[in-house]
mmCIF file of all heavy atoms in Angstrom:
data_model
loop_
_atom_site.group_PDB
_atom_site.id
_atom_site.type_symbol
_atom_site.label_atom_id
_atom_site.label_comp_id
_atom_site.label_asym_id
_atom_site.label_seq_id
_atom_site.Cartn_x
_atom_site.Cartn_y
_atom_site.Cartn_z
ATOM 1 N N GLU Z 1 -23.349 -80.367 -20.590
ATOM 2 C CA GLU Z 1 -22.011 -79.923 -20.193
ATOM 3 C C GLU Z 1 -20.980 -81.035 -20.405
ATOM 4 O O GLU Z 1 -19.878 -80.802 -20.919
ATOM 5 C CB GLU Z 1 -22.033 -79.492 -18.727
ATOM 6 C CG GLU Z 1 -20.710 -78.922 -18.231
ATOM 7 C CD GLU Z 1 -20.778 -78.491 -16.775
ATOM 8 O OE1 GLU Z 1 -21.905 -78.345 -16.244
ATOM 9 O OE2 GLU Z 1 -19.699 -78.314 -16.173
ATOM 10 N N ILE Z 2 -21.346 -82.238 -20.028
ATOM 11 C CA ILE Z 2 -20.434 -83.376 -20.192
ATOM 12 C C ILE Z 2 -20.181 -83.656 -21.667
ATOM 13 O O ILE Z 2 -19.041 -83.896 -22.086
ATOM 14 C CB ILE Z 2 -21.004 -84.622 -19.490
ATOM 15 C CG1 ILE Z 2 -21.046 -84.392 -17.973
ATOM 16 C CG2 ILE Z 2 -20.163 -85.864 -19.802
ATOM 17 C CD1 ILE Z 2 -21.849 -85.422 -17.222
ATOM 18 N N LEU Z 3 -21.243 -83.608 -22.471
ATOM 19 C CA LEU Z 3 -21.091 -83.842 -23.903
ATOM 20 C C LEU Z 3 -20.240 -82.751 -24.550
ATOM 21 O O LEU Z 3 -19.445 -83.039 -25.462
ATOM 22 C CB LEU Z 3 -22.461 -83.913 -24.574
ATOM 23 C CG LEU Z 3 -23.247 -85.202 -24.320
ATOM 24 C CD1 LEU Z 3 -24.684 -85.058 -24.778
ATOM 25 C CD2 LEU Z 3 -22.580 -86.380 -25.038
ATOM 26 N N ARG Z 4 -20.383 -81.528 -24.066
ATOM 27 C CA ARG Z 4 -19.556 -80.442 -24.593
ATOM 28 C C ARG Z 4 -18.078 -80.701 -24.295
ATOM 29 O O ARG Z 4 -17.203 -80.537 -25.153
ATOM 30 C CB ARG Z 4 -20.000 -79.106 -23.987
ATOM 31 C CG ARG Z 4 -19.268 -77.897 -24.568
ATOM 32 C CD ARG Z 4 -19.936 -76.588 -24.162
ATOM 33 N NE ARG Z 4 -19.990 -76.434 -22.723
ATOM 34 C CZ ARG Z 4 -21.124 -76.466 -22.015
ATOM 35 N NH1 ARG Z 4 -22.290 -76.694 -22.625
ATOM 36 N NH2 ARG Z 4 -21.107 -76.286 -20.706
ATOM 37 N N ASP Z 5 -17.799 -81.154 -23.065
ATOM 38 C CA ASP Z 5 -16.415 -81.479 -22.692
ATOM 39 C C ASP Z 5 -15.891 -82.651 -23.532
ATOM 40 O O ASP Z 5 -14.731 -82.652 -23.958
ATOM 41 C CB ASP Z 5 -16.341 -81.837 -21.203
ATOM 42 C CG ASP Z 5 -16.581 -80.635 -20.290
ATOM 43 O OD1 ASP Z 5 -16.516 -79.497 -20.793
ATOM 44 O OD2 ASP Z 5 -16.848 -80.839 -19.098
ATOM 45 N N ALA Z 6 -16.758 -83.642 -23.767
ATOM 46 C CA ALA Z 6 -16.353 -84.816 -24.542
ATOM 47 C C ALA Z 6 -16.013 -84.418 -25.978
ATOM 48 O O ALA Z 6 -15.009 -84.877 -26.545
ATOM 49 C CB ALA Z 6 -17.463 -85.866 -24.528
ATOM 50 N N ARG Z 7 -16.820 -83.556 -26.555
ATOM 51 C CA ARG Z 7 -16.566 -83.151 -27.942
ATOM 52 C C ARG Z 7 -15.316 -82.275 -28.033
ATOM 53 O O ARG Z 7 -14.597 -82.302 -29.046
ATOM 54 C CB ARG Z 7 -17.786 -82.433 -28.513
ATOM 55 C CG ARG Z 7 -18.985 -83.367 -28.674
ATOM 56 C CD ARG Z 7 -20.034 -82.798 -29.591
ATOM 57 N NE ARG Z 7 -21.200 -83.682 -29.700
ATOM 58 C CZ ARG Z 7 -21.250 -84.749 -30.471
ATOM 59 N NH1 ARG Z 7 -20.184 -85.098 -31.182
ATOM 60 N NH2 ARG Z 7 -22.341 -85.498 -30.529
ATOM 61 N N ALA Z 8 -15.062 -81.502 -26.991
ATOM 62 C CA ALA Z 8 -13.825 -80.703 -26.969
ATOM 63 C C ALA Z 8 -12.604 -81.626 -26.945
ATOM 64 O O ALA Z 8 -11.603 -81.382 -27.633
ATOM 65 C CB ALA Z 8 -13.814 -79.780 -25.754
ATOM 66 N N LEU Z 9 -12.691 -82.698 -26.175
ATOM 67 C CA LEU Z 9 -11.601 -83.681 -26.135
ATOM 68 C C LEU Z 9 -11.464 -84.390 -27.480
ATOM 69 O O LEU Z 9 -10.354 -84.698 -27.918
ATOM 70 C CB LEU Z 9 -11.857 -84.712 -25.029
ATOM 71 C CG LEU Z 9 -11.699 -84.213 -23.592
ATOM 72 C CD1 LEU Z 9 -12.223 -85.256 -22.607
ATOM 73 C CD2 LEU Z 9 -10.232 -83.902 -23.293
ATOM 74 N N GLN Z 10 -12.594 -84.644 -28.145
ATOM 75 C CA GLN Z 10 -12.535 -85.250 -29.477
ATOM 76 C C GLN Z 10 -11.795 -84.354 -30.455
ATOM 77 O O GLN Z 10 -11.029 -84.848 -31.295
ATOM 78 C CB GLN Z 10 -13.943 -85.519 -30.006
ATOM 79 C CG GLN Z 10 -14.564 -86.822 -29.525
ATOM 80 C CD GLN Z 10 -15.829 -87.149 -30.295
ATOM 81 O OE1 GLN Z 10 -16.630 -86.277 -30.610
ATOM 82 N NE2 GLN Z 10 -16.032 -88.420 -30.586
ATOM 83 N N GLN Z 11 -12.021 -83.046 -30.358
ATOM 84 C CA GLN Z 11 -11.335 -82.115 -31.248
ATOM 85 C C GLN Z 11 -9.824 -82.207 -31.075
ATOM 86 O O GLN Z 11 -9.069 -81.973 -32.020
ATOM 87 C CB GLN Z 11 -11.805 -80.672 -30.971
ATOM 88 C CG GLN Z 11 -13.223 -80.370 -31.408
ATOM 89 C CD GLN Z 11 -13.391 -80.438 -32.915
ATOM 90 O OE1 GLN Z 11 -12.542 -79.942 -33.663
ATOM 91 N NE2 GLN Z 11 -14.473 -81.039 -33.383
ATOM 92 N N GLU Z 12 -9.392 -82.561 -29.876
ATOM 93 C CA GLU Z 12 -7.963 -82.713 -29.589
ATOM 94 C C GLU Z 12 -7.485 -84.147 -29.827
ATOM 95 O O GLU Z 12 -6.340 -84.480 -29.525
ATOM 96 C CB GLU Z 12 -7.686 -82.301 -28.139
ATOM 97 C CG GLU Z 12 -8.018 -80.842 -27.844
ATOM 98 C CD GLU Z 12 -7.830 -80.494 -26.368
ATOM 99 O OE1 GLU Z 12 -7.159 -81.261 -25.653
ATOM 100 O OE2 GLU Z 12 -8.352 -79.457 -25.950
ATOM 101 N N ARG Z 13 -8.387 -84.991 -30.345
ATOM 102 C CA ARG Z 13 -8.078 -86.400 -30.623
ATOM 103 C C ARG Z 13 -7.653 -87.170 -29.370
ATOM 104 O O ARG Z 13 -6.849 -88.107 -29.439
ATOM 105 C CB ARG Z 13 -6.994 -86.515 -31.707
ATOM 106 C CG ARG Z 13 -7.423 -85.910 -33.037
ATOM 107 C CD ARG Z 13 -6.335 -86.019 -34.083
ATOM 108 N NE ARG Z 13 -6.773 -85.450 -35.354
ATOM 109 C CZ ARG Z 13 -7.428 -86.125 -36.291
ATOM 110 N NH1 ARG Z 13 -7.711 -87.396 -36.112
ATOM 111 N NH2 ARG Z 13 -7.784 -85.533 -37.411
ATOM 112 N N LYS Z 14 -8.226 -86.803 -28.255
ATOM 113 C CA LYS Z 14 -7.953 -87.505 -27.003
ATOM 114 C C LYS Z 14 -9.030 -88.574 -26.807
ATOM 115 O O LYS Z 14 -9.916 -88.474 -25.960
ATOM 116 C CB LYS Z 14 -7.927 -86.519 -25.832
ATOM 117 C CG LYS Z 14 -6.765 -85.524 -25.924
ATOM 118 C CD LYS Z 14 -6.734 -84.581 -24.730
ATOM 119 C CE LYS Z 14 -5.539 -83.640 -24.818
ATOM 120 N NZ LYS Z 14 -5.496 -82.684 -23.669
ATOM 121 N N TRP Z 15 -8.940 -89.612 -27.649
ATOM 122 C CA TRP Z 15 -9.998 -90.612 -27.727
ATOM 123 C C TRP Z 15 -10.204 -91.366 -26.418
ATOM 124 O O TRP Z 15 -11.338 -91.572 -25.990
ATOM 125 C CB TRP Z 15 -9.694 -91.593 -28.863
ATOM 126 C CG TRP Z 15 -9.327 -90.951 -30.156
ATOM 127 C CD1 TRP Z 15 -8.171 -91.126 -30.862
ATOM 128 C CD2 TRP Z 15 -10.105 -90.011 -30.918
ATOM 129 N NE1 TRP Z 15 -8.172 -90.362 -32.009
ATOM 130 C CE2 TRP Z 15 -9.343 -89.675 -32.080
ATOM 131 C CE3 TRP Z 15 -11.348 -89.424 -30.749
ATOM 132 C CZ2 TRP Z 15 -9.797 -88.794 -33.041
ATOM 133 C CZ3 TRP Z 15 -11.801 -88.540 -31.711
ATOM 134 C CH2 TRP Z 15 -11.041 -88.232 -32.833
ATOM 135 N N LYS Z 16 -9.127 -91.795 -25.795
ATOM 136 C CA LYS Z 16 -9.261 -92.571 -24.566
ATOM 137 C C LYS Z 16 -9.820 -91.724 -23.424
ATOM 138 O O LYS Z 16 -10.561 -92.219 -22.572
ATOM 139 C CB LYS Z 16 -7.918 -93.174 -24.171
ATOM 140 C CG LYS Z 16 -7.468 -94.288 -25.110
ATOM 141 C CD LYS Z 16 -6.197 -94.970 -24.632
ATOM 142 C CE LYS Z 16 -5.828 -96.117 -25.553
ATOM 143 N NZ LYS Z 16 -4.581 -96.799 -25.123
ATOM 144 N N GLU Z 17 -9.459 -90.443 -23.426
ATOM 145 C CA GLU Z 17 -10.001 -89.546 -22.400
ATOM 146 C C GLU Z 17 -11.504 -89.367 -22.559
ATOM 147 O O GLU Z 17 -12.249 -89.317 -21.567
ATOM 148 C CB GLU Z 17 -9.290 -88.183 -22.457
ATOM 149 C CG GLU Z 17 -7.866 -88.182 -21.946
ATOM 150 C CD GLU Z 17 -6.856 -88.577 -23.026
ATOM 151 O OE1 GLU Z 17 -7.290 -89.164 -24.065
ATOM 152 O OE2 GLU Z 17 -5.667 -88.320 -22.836
ATOM 153 N N VAL Z 18 -11.954 -89.280 -23.811
ATOM 154 C CA VAL Z 18 -13.402 -89.182 -24.071
ATOM 155 C C VAL Z 18 -14.105 -90.434 -23.562
ATOM 156 O O VAL Z 18 -15.129 -90.358 -22.869
ATOM 157 C CB VAL Z 18 -13.680 -89.015 -25.573
ATOM 158 C CG1 VAL Z 18 -15.192 -89.047 -25.841
ATOM 159 C CG2 VAL Z 18 -13.091 -87.719 -26.093
ATOM 160 N N ALA Z 19 -13.556 -91.594 -23.911
ATOM 161 C CA ALA Z 19 -14.162 -92.858 -23.484
ATOM 162 C C ALA Z 19 -14.217 -92.964 -21.967
ATOM 163 O O ALA Z 19 -15.229 -93.389 -21.392
ATOM 164 C CB ALA Z 19 -13.372 -94.031 -24.070
ATOM 165 N N SER Z 20 -13.140 -92.546 -21.291
ATOM 166 C CA SER Z 20 -13.099 -92.608 -19.823
ATOM 167 C C SER Z 20 -14.096 -91.642 -19.197
ATOM 168 O O SER Z 20 -14.778 -91.981 -18.222
ATOM 169 C CB SER Z 20 -11.684 -92.282 -19.327
ATOM 170 O OG SER Z 20 -10.761 -93.246 -19.768
ATOM 171 N N LEU Z 21 -14.183 -90.439 -19.769
ATOM 172 C CA LEU Z 21 -15.127 -89.441 -19.255
ATOM 173 C C LEU Z 21 -16.555 -89.954 -19.303
ATOM 174 O O LEU Z 21 -17.298 -89.867 -18.311
ATOM 175 C CB LEU Z 21 -15.002 -88.148 -20.068
ATOM 176 C CG LEU Z 21 -16.059 -87.061 -19.800
ATOM 177 C CD1 LEU Z 21 -15.957 -86.555 -18.372
ATOM 178 C CD2 LEU Z 21 -15.924 -85.915 -20.797
ATOM 179 N N LEU Z 22 -16.948 -90.518 -20.423
ATOM 180 C CA LEU Z 22 -18.329 -90.974 -20.581
ATOM 181 C C LEU Z 22 -18.581 -92.301 -19.862
ATOM 182 O O LEU Z 22 -19.701 -92.555 -19.410
ATOM 183 C CB LEU Z 22 -18.673 -91.089 -22.066
ATOM 184 C CG LEU Z 22 -18.691 -89.738 -22.806
ATOM 185 C CD1 LEU Z 22 -18.881 -89.927 -24.289
ATOM 186 C CD2 LEU Z 22 -19.768 -88.816 -22.235
ATOM 187 N N ALA Z 23 -17.546 -93.122 -19.720
ATOM 188 C CA ALA Z 23 -17.704 -94.372 -18.969
ATOM 189 C C ALA Z 23 -17.952 -94.103 -17.485
ATOM 190 O O ALA Z 23 -18.575 -94.914 -16.801
ATOM 191 C CB ALA Z 23 -16.454 -95.240 -19.130
ATOM 192 N N ALA Z 24 -17.488 -92.943 -17.021
ATOM 193 C CA ALA Z 24 -17.655 -92.598 -15.603
ATOM 194 C C ALA Z 24 -19.037 -92.030 -15.291
ATOM 195 O O ALA Z 24 -19.375 -91.819 -14.120
ATOM 196 C CB ALA Z 24 -16.583 -91.583 -15.197
ATOM 197 N N GLN Z 25 -19.850 -91.790 -16.329
ATOM 198 C CA GLN Z 25 -21.169 -91.188 -16.124
ATOM 199 C C GLN Z 25 -22.232 -92.268 -15.941
ATOM 200 O O GLN Z 25 -22.122 -93.362 -16.483
ATOM 201 C CB GLN Z 25 -21.540 -90.301 -17.316
ATOM 202 C CG GLN Z 25 -20.479 -89.302 -17.696
ATOM 203 C CD GLN Z 25 -20.060 -88.405 -16.552
ATOM 204 O OE1 GLN Z 25 -20.898 -87.915 -15.789
ATOM 205 N NE2 GLN Z 25 -18.765 -88.183 -16.425
ATOM 206 N N ASN Z 26 -23.257 -91.904 -15.213
ATOM 207 C CA ASN Z 26 -24.421 -92.780 -15.065
ATOM 208 C C ASN Z 26 -25.376 -92.486 -16.218
ATOM 209 O O ASN Z 26 -26.393 -91.810 -16.062
ATOM 210 C CB ASN Z 26 -25.094 -92.542 -13.711
ATOM 211 C CG ASN Z 26 -26.311 -93.437 -13.504
ATOM 212 O OD1 ASN Z 26 -26.447 -94.467 -14.175
ATOM 213 N ND2 ASN Z 26 -27.187 -93.043 -12.604
ATOM 214 N N LEU Z 27 -25.040 -93.001 -17.389
ATOM 215 C CA LEU Z 27 -25.814 -92.669 -18.588
ATOM 216 C C LEU Z 27 -27.253 -93.179 -18.522
ATOM 217 O O LEU Z 27 -28.135 -92.634 -19.188
ATOM 218 C CB LEU Z 27 -25.121 -93.231 -19.832
ATOM 219 C CG LEU Z 27 -23.722 -92.681 -20.146
ATOM 220 C CD1 LEU Z 27 -23.194 -93.295 -21.439
ATOM 221 C CD2 LEU Z 27 -23.726 -91.164 -20.236
ATOM 222 N N ALA Z 28 -27.474 -94.206 -17.723
ATOM 223 C CA ALA Z 28 -28.833 -94.748 -17.602
ATOM 224 C C ALA Z 28 -29.808 -93.712 -17.040
ATOM 225 O O ALA Z 28 -31.017 -93.810 -17.262
ATOM 226 C CB ALA Z 28 -28.826 -95.994 -16.731
ATOM 227 N N SER Z 29 -29.274 -92.717 -16.310
ATOM 228 C CA SER Z 29 -30.138 -91.689 -15.722
ATOM 229 C C SER Z 29 -30.360 -90.505 -16.669
ATOM 230 O O SER Z 29 -31.145 -89.614 -16.362
ATOM 231 C CB SER Z 29 -29.516 -91.171 -14.419
ATOM 232 O OG SER Z 29 -28.301 -90.469 -14.678
ATOM 233 N N TRP Z 30 -29.695 -90.494 -17.811
ATOM 234 C CA TRP Z 30 -29.820 -89.387 -18.764
ATOM 235 C C TRP Z 30 -31.088 -89.552 -19.604
ATOM 236 O O TRP Z 30 -31.553 -90.673 -19.814
ATOM 237 C CB TRP Z 30 -28.619 -89.370 -19.696
ATOM 238 C CG TRP Z 30 -27.338 -88.902 -19.082
ATOM 239 C CD1 TRP Z 30 -27.007 -88.909 -17.757
ATOM 240 C CD2 TRP Z 30 -26.204 -88.383 -19.768
ATOM 241 N NE1 TRP Z 30 -25.744 -88.443 -17.578
ATOM 242 C CE2 TRP Z 30 -25.217 -88.098 -18.798
ATOM 243 C CE3 TRP Z 30 -25.915 -88.141 -21.108
ATOM 244 C CZ2 TRP Z 30 -23.966 -87.586 -19.132
ATOM 245 C CZ3 TRP Z 30 -24.671 -87.622 -21.448
ATOM 246 C CH2 TRP Z 30 -23.714 -87.337 -20.470
ATOM 247 N N PRO Z 31 -31.617 -88.444 -20.120
ATOM 248 C CA PRO Z 31 -32.712 -88.552 -21.103
ATOM 249 C C PRO Z 31 -32.246 -89.409 -22.281
ATOM 250 O O PRO Z 31 -31.069 -89.372 -22.654
ATOM 251 C CB PRO Z 31 -32.954 -87.095 -21.530
ATOM 252 C CG PRO Z 31 -32.425 -86.271 -20.396
ATOM 253 C CD PRO Z 31 -31.274 -87.034 -19.820
ATOM 254 N N GLU Z 32 -33.164 -90.163 -22.868
ATOM 255 C CA GLU Z 32 -32.779 -91.148 -23.879
ATOM 256 C C GLU Z 32 -31.999 -90.535 -25.038
ATOM 257 O O GLU Z 32 -30.994 -91.101 -25.485
ATOM 258 C CB GLU Z 32 -34.005 -91.873 -24.412
ATOM 259 C CG GLU Z 32 -33.646 -93.015 -25.363
ATOM 260 C CD GLU Z 32 -34.833 -93.861 -25.756
ATOM 261 O OE1 GLU Z 32 -35.390 -94.547 -24.863
ATOM 262 O OE2 GLU Z 32 -35.207 -93.836 -26.936
ATOM 263 N N ALA Z 33 -32.428 -89.386 -25.535
ATOM 264 C CA ALA Z 33 -31.750 -88.769 -26.679
ATOM 265 C C ALA Z 33 -30.303 -88.426 -26.328
ATOM 266 O O ALA Z 33 -29.386 -88.654 -27.137
ATOM 267 C CB ALA Z 33 -32.500 -87.513 -27.125
#
């Protein structure tokens, strides 16, 4: 769901928003892929 939101923001060229969205996630807890 988060990746879907991030890619939607990429389509709108909202680069900093994408970076902020993913920086706020605990990526270490995600599956490696």
Side-chain angles (χ1 to χ4, degrees):
E1 184 179 344
I2 294 168
L3 286 168
R4 185 168 59 248
D5 291 345
R7 293 197 182 280
L9 289 170
Q10 276 191 321
Q11 289 294 317
E12 298 176 17
R13 298 179 179 272
K14 294 182 178 179
W15 312 122
K16 290 185 177 179
E17 288 86 343
V18 175
S20 296
L21 171 64
L22 294 174
Q25 309 305 317
N26 180 20
L27 297 182
S29 67
W30 287 23
E32 186 172 294

